[in-house]
């Protein structure tokens, strides 16, 4: 197996393939681990954790702990963040080396359906897996540079900006807005769609907006960006409603695009659509023995999706006939304060599928959860079910709720009925109990909530 790209999808395919006795060439122009480990999920979550600690220090007196907030030392924050990344990278390198995977450093290009060329050297494989990942997108005519940055530059800032305009209210924009506000910056988010985190259930979006208003994070939704002018002291951002916002920096967080250009895909007949590689449900491209995984395949651009797809493709190539991955069963988490987590379909999607009368929902307010009270967080768990049928969506908001989505994923993927899961015992006092309470309410026997 020749794998082009060693991010979450590529290295997972390599490790699982090696485990199954395949000989592997793993080609990577940068470092094994890809965007997620080096420039994405891991470093951003390290910043978010330091932001959480900053907020806790500010509020510590209300918990009877005398501490004073002296500010943020970005040099120390970056040392901590880079230390986390470094340790994980070292561990991953050890795994890849122990699995006797050939890592080839350099820019790979598909030159035939069974061959990837790296700096003039061809690597031929019975199977080829395309896993070239994604890049930070911009908008047409919007130049990134100077005081206009992407998430990659935002991760290496050596100071806390006084003020920032965040262009895009999706996951990346919301997470950075959350960090910078905790660090003491003045933040304004501009989002063209009607809500923040627009792909989530509307109830979550509205609750996050309420929480952000309380945190004094400014945002303009349903507002289109029209231009930015760089000045000596910062940026002047204008929107189509004729307003302008001035700030020290502008973060462009308008999503990620598939990294597929100049890699020989189209020349070798790989089916493409808007830059993405088109595959069947078994991740095969329809050309030779060429498969594709991760952010280049249309769908959720999440590290854990790429990881699972990498494992799937290795097992498929080894003849294990794995079950196809169900996209709606992949959990999604936004690690802002508060966190947003979900799995399955939204209430609106469920109504589209089953009709307005074919859907039942319940919301359990975290105000009734002991552990949430102790953590001083607000929010809710919302369950969506097909009427008289299984749970098809689990949606939640509140501090640390990302840790609860694993159980929700099991309910959705195993098509659990509320009666089945309402019988499960949840430890007290945990936020996890909120899942149990929501299930009880959906099963028609609410204890601490009213249906």
């Amino acid at each position: 197996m020749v794998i082009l790209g060693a991010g979450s999808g590529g290295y997972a395919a390599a490790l699982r393939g090696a485990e199954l006795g395949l000989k592997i060439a793993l080609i990577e122009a940068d470092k094994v681990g890809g965007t997620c480990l080096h420039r994405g999920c891991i470093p951003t979550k390290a910043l978010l954790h330091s932001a959480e600690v900053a907020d806790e220090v500010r509020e510590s007196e209300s918990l009877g702990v005398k501490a004073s907030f002296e500010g943020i030392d970005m040099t120390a924050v970056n040392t901590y963040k880079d230390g986390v990344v470094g340790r994980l990278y070292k561990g991953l390198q050890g795994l890849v080396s122990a699995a006797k995977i050939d890592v080839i450093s350099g820019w790979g290009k598909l030159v035939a359906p069974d061959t990837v060329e790296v700096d003039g050297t061809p690597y031929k494989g019975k199977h080829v897996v395309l896993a070239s990942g994604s890049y930070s997108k911009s908008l047409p005519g919007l130049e990134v540079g100077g005081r206009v940055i992407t998430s990659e530059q935002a991760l290496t800032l050596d100071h806390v900006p006084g003020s920032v305009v965040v262009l895009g209210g999706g996951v990346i924009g919301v997470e950075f807005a959350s960090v910078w506000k905790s660090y003491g910056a003045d933040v304004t988010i501009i989002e063209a769609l009607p809500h923040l985190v627009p792909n989530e259930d509307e109830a979550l979006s509205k609750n996050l907006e309420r929480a952000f208003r309380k945190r004094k994070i400014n945002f303009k939704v349903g507002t289109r960006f029209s231009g930015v002018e760089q000045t000596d002291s910062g940026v002047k951002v204008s929107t189509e409603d004729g307003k302008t916002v001035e700030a020290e920096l502008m973060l462009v967080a308008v999503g990620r695009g598939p990294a597929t250009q100049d890699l020989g895909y189209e020349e070798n007949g790989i089916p493409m659509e808007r830059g993405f590689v088109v595959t069947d449900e078994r991740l095969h491209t329809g050309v030779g023995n060429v498969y594709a995984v991760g952010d280049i395949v249309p769908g959720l651009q999440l590290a854990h999706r790429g990881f699972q797809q990498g494992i799937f493709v290795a097992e498929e190539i080894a003849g294990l006939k794995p079950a196809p991955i169900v996209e709606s069963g992949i959990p999604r988490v936004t690690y802002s304060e508060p966190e947003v987590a979900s799995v399955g379909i939204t209430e609106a999607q469920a109504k589209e599928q089953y009709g307005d009368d074919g859907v039942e929902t319940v919301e359990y307010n975290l105000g009734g959860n002991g552990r949430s009270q102790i953590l001083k967080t607000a929010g809710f768990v919302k369950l969506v079910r097909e009427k008289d049928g299984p749970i098809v969506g689990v949606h939640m908001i509140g501090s640390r709720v990302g840790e609860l989505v694993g159980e929700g994923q099991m309910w959705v993927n195993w098509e659990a009925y509320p009666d089945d899961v309402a019988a499960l015992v949840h430890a007290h006092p945990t936020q996890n109990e909120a899942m149990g309470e929501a299930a009880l309410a959906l099963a028609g026997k609410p204890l601490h909530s009213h249906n």
Side-chain angles (χ1 to χ4, degrees):
M1 186 159 63
V2 174
I3 303 167
L4 180 53
S8 306
Y11 85 68
L15 289 172
R16 185 67 180 120
E19 213 169 45
L20 294 168
L22 302 172
K23 186 165 166 45
I24 316 280
L26 184 59
I27 297 162
E28 174 55 57
D30 192 8
K31 291 176 178 166
V32 172
T35 295
C36 173
L37 174 53
H38 300 286
R39 300 176 297 282
C41 341
I42 299 297
T44 50
K45 298 331 157 250
L47 294 186
L48 282 150
H49 180 58
S50 77
E52 183 188 356
V53 172
D55 289 333
E56 285 184 351
V57 171
R58 279 195 194 95
E59 290 158 23
S60 66
E61 212 153 311
S62 67
L63 306 175
V65 178
K66 284 193 185 309
S68 60
F69 179 71
E70 306 288 337
I72 302 290
D73 174 356
M74 275 316 289
T75 307
V77 168
N78 286 328
T79 301
Y80 152 69
K81 164 186 64 95
D82 296 341
V84 172
V85 171
R87 286 189 295 279
L88 289 170
Y89 178 45
K90 207 171 170 182
L92 181 56
Q93 282 176 305
L95 284 174
V96 168
S97 155
K100 300 195 168 33
I101 291 161
D102 295 324
V103 178
I104 291 121
S105 292
W107 187 264
K109 191 172 179 173
L110 192 69
V111 292
D114 64 352
T115 310
V116 176
E117 195 173 275
V118 183
D119 302 326
T121 307
Y123 294 88
K124 207 172 169 139
K126 191 173 173 192
H127 300 89
V128 171
V129 179
L130 308 177
S132 45
S134 59
Y135 64 93
S136 293
K137 273 202 309 201
S138 185
L139 292 176
L142 172 56
E143 288 284 310
V144 171
R147 293 175 179 274
V148 176
I149 62 171
T150 67
S151 58
E152 287 172 29
Q153 288 98 46
L155 281 169
T156 57
L157 284 182
D158 58 1
H159 68 290
V160 176
S163 54
V164 194
V165 170
V166 176
L167 185 57
V171 176
I172 296 169
V174 157
E175 288 185 351
F176 273 103
S178 188
V179 166
W180 281 325
K181 184 65 192 178
S182 299
Y183 283 177
D186 187 26
V187 183
T188 304
I189 303 170
I190 295 170
E191 169 56 56
L193 292 170
H195 286 291
L196 296 180
V197 290
N199 295 333
E200 295 294 346
D201 190 275
E202 200 172 300
L204 294 184
S205 296
K206 286 179 172 169
N207 195 284
L208 181 69
E209 287 163 10
R210 220 170 18 252
F212 271 20
R213 270 194 286 272
K214 210 169 164 185
R215 290 187 62 195
K216 298 190 166 49
I217 294 174
N218 308 308
F219 56 88
K220 298 170 170 227
V221 290
T223 305
R224 297 184 80 83
F225 163 85
S226 63
V228 60
E229 184 192 323
Q230 298 205 33
T231 64
D232 291 344
S233 58
V235 290
K236 203 180 273 186
V237 182
S238 45
T239 49
E240 282 185 1
D241 56 4
K243 306 245 171 63
T244 59
V245 187
E246 294 193 40
E248 191 184 309
L249 286 176
M250 179 168 95
L251 170 70
V252 181
V254 293
R256 296 185 64 83
T260 54
Q261 259 196 320
D262 304 324
L263 294 175
Y265 294 178
E266 274 171 292
E267 294 85 327
N268 285 284
I270 304 297
M272 309 285 288
E273 199 175 280
R274 297 185 353 269
F276 289 95
V277 175
V278 181
T279 70
D280 62 15
E281 66 164 8
R282 306 200 74 76
L283 302 173
H284 190 264
T285 61
V287 176
N289 287 328
V290 182
Y291 294 83
V293 299
D295 287 0
I296 59 171
V297 179
L300 296 165
Q301 290 178 313
L302 298 170
H304 45 279
R305 170 183 179 252
F307 187 82
Q308 203 58 38
Q309 288 180 336
I311 293 170
F312 173 90
V313 162
E315 293 183 349
E316 176 78 349
I317 287 169
L320 299 186
K321 297 191 171 64
I325 297 160
V326 179
E327 287 273 320
S328 64
I330 297 170
R332 312 173 286 278
V333 185
T334 303
Y335 297 83
S336 49
E337 175 48 49
E339 286 186 357
V340 173
S342 60
V343 60
I345 57 177
T346 64
E347 181 179 348
Q349 288 166 332
K351 283 182 171 171
E352 238 168 75
Q353 219 165 309
Y354 308 115
D356 283 4
D357 301 331
V359 175
E360 286 175 70
T361 67
V362 74
E363 275 183 31
Y364 173 73
N365 193 307
L366 291 183
N369 176 263
R371 184 79 169 137
S372 298
Q373 284 296 317
I374 290 164
L375 292 171
K376 297 181 103 173
T377 187
F380 60 84
V381 173
K382 173 177 178 174
L383 302 182
V384 180
R385 80 179 290 197
E386 182 188 349
K387 198 168 186 169
D388 303 326
I391 295 166
V392 293
V394 177
H395 309 274
M396 53 190 109
I397 184 165
S399 297
R400 306 186 187 183
V401 294
E403 300 298 330
L404 305 184
V405 81
E407 184 177 9
Q409 183 202 6
M410 289 195 165
W411 294 2
V412 168
N413 281 289
W414 284 346
E415 298 177 357
Y417 280 66
D419 279 332
D420 299 334
V421 291
L424 300 172
V425 180
H426 293 75
H428 176 74
T430 61
Q431 282 191 294
N432 187 231
E433 276 179 289
M435 298 285 290
E437 292 276 0
L440 280 165
L442 198 53
K445 38 189 176 188
L447 284 192
H448 294 93
S449 63
H450 302 290
N451 214 350

